[in-house]
Amino acid sequence: MKSDLFSLSATYTRMIFRSWFQYRVDAFLRSLAVFMREATSIIVIYFTLLKFDSLNGWNIHEMCFLFSLVYVTYGIMIIFFTGLRDFGNTVRDGSFDRYILRPRGLLYQLIFANADWFAAVGHGGLGILLFLISASKIGVIWTPVRVIYYIFTITGGVLIQGAIFLFLATLNIYLLETNKLKEVFYWNTRKFAGYPISIFHKAIQFVMTFIVPFAFVNYFPAQYLLRKEDMVNYPAIFMYITPLVGLVLYILAYLFWRSSIKHYKSSGN
């Protein structure tokens, strides 16, 4: 059974990859457009820090490292969770009913039925570039322990964002339209995530730590490696628990999904 699932997943992935990159020049240009759009914020920060040198003690290379974690985790996450990002459209046009009739798990189908490779390449490529630029300039010696920590951090960051998408997707079962909620609780919050949360008002810090915990995607993991002075404002344990936060959040979001799917009613079309 497991081998069948892996085989089917691989088939899904190959088909989706080929469909997204059927026209190579178009695919390259679209991925480049995503890359350039996201790079704009980095360019703004770069020119800002040329004048002010640092932001609450964080220099340009450390800021690039913060951003790299956001973009790398999103680039990986969107390969698996595009179906959840766009789940509202799937419910509204009635196409979710087709998934219900198929002999595979609903969440499995949503995860493997689509992947936004343009976003994955654009965000992931920018994240990798920022990491390569900053990793050797932030004063971190990349020991095996730190490399393993980094890998687990990436995994935790992917799960945290995947859990947010799964929770917001589940709300579509009740509300049908959740784009505004997604804008507030994901996209707008993510705009803060590239910066040290210590520069924000306490209310925003609380939201990014305990409500939509983007701080565990990059800020606290970066603190484990950099040990900046502003970490004194937070419990030291926060630097170590990103994988746990991701796992717990995803389990809770999954349980919410399993409970809510029983109440799904077709929107028709």
Side-chain angles (χ1 to χ4, degrees):
M1 182 65 177
K2 288 184 179 180
S3 61
D4 290 341
L5 287 176
F6 282 125
S7 177
L8 182 60
S9 302
T11 301
Y12 265 132
T13 302
R14 284 197 300 269
M15 291 174 60
I16 294 166
F17 187 85
R18 288 174 181 171
S19 68
W20 279 80
F21 291 94
Q22 182 177 3
Y23 303 101
R24 295 181 182 179
V25 174
D26 179 69
F28 171 77
L29 291 176
R30 290 193 182 191
S31 298
L32 180 62
V34 173
F35 179 96
M36 295 303 297
R37 181 192 69 199
E38 299 301 327
T40 301
S41 59
I42 310 299
I43 295 171
V44 170
I45 291 172
Y46 174 77
F47 283 110
T48 300
L49 291 184
L50 282 180
K51 183 175 182 179
F52 295 103
D53 292 330
S54 66
L55 187 62
N56 200 31
W58 292 72
N59 63 39
I60 184 60
H61 300 300
E62 293 163 343
M63 294 284 290
C64 284
F65 186 72
L66 278 181
F67 271 99
S68 75
L69 286 166
V70 173
Y71 287 121
V72 168
T73 53
Y74 183 84
I76 296 171
M77 185 273 295
I78 203 60
I79 295 174
F80 300 101
F81 294 101
T82 299
L84 295 178
R85 182 195 66 185
D86 302 334
F87 185 63
N89 296 331
T90 305
V91 171
R92 285 191 295 276
D93 65 18
S95 59
F96 184 55
D97 296 0
R98 298 202 305 268
Y99 292 108
I100 294 175
L101 297 175
R102 294 171 182 170
R104 294 292 179 186
L106 292 174
L107 190 56
Y108 171 85
Q109 293 184 69
L110 287 170
I111 287 175
F112 286 102
N114 198 7
D116 187 345
W117 282 100
F118 298 152
V121 173
H123 285 79
L126 178 59
I128 292 170
L129 178 62
L130 290 173
F131 175 79
L132 293 176
I133 291 173
S134 62
S136 62
K137 298 179 180 180
I138 55 177
V140 174
I141 299 174
W142 290 95
T143 63
V145 172
R146 286 174 176 163
V147 170
I148 292 171
Y149 173 87
Y150 182 82
I151 293 171
F152 274 97
T153 289
I154 294 296
T155 303
V158 169
L159 286 174
I160 288 171
Q161 295 176 79
I164 296 170
F165 271 11
L166 180 54
F167 179 78
L168 291 172
T170 305
L171 290 180
N172 279 282
I173 295 172
Y174 302 101
L175 304 176
L176 287 183
E177 176 58 66
T178 62
N179 284 338
K180 295 299 182 183
L181 288 175
K182 194 183 302 178
E183 192 72 27
V184 172
F185 286 102
Y186 187 83
W187 300 114
N188 286 345
T189 307
R190 201 185 81 155
K191 292 177 182 178
F192 293 108
Y195 302 88
I197 66 169
S198 58
I199 70 173
F200 299 120
H201 188 274
K202 292 291 185 182
I204 295 177
Q205 293 182 41
F206 180 83
V207 169
M208 295 187 66
T209 304
F210 299 107
I211 307 300
V212 189
F214 268 106
F216 288 98
V217 173
N218 64 343
Y219 178 76
F220 293 127
Q223 286 287 14
Y224 170 81
L225 298 168
L226 302 176
R227 305 300 171 113
K228 305 295 291 182
E229 292 181 1
D230 53 344
M231 186 60 203
V232 72
N233 300 317
Y234 312 99
I237 194 173
F238 283 0
M239 295 186 291
Y240 304 96
I241 61 174
T242 289
L244 179 61
V245 171
L247 182 61
V248 170
L249 275 182
Y250 192 80
I251 290 173
L252 291 175
Y254 177 72
L255 292 175
F256 180 46
W257 164 267
R258 287 291 301 271
S259 173
S260 299
I261 204 65
K262 300 173 185 176
H263 304 287
Y264 171 74
K265 295 179 181 179
S266 176
S267 62
N269 109 12

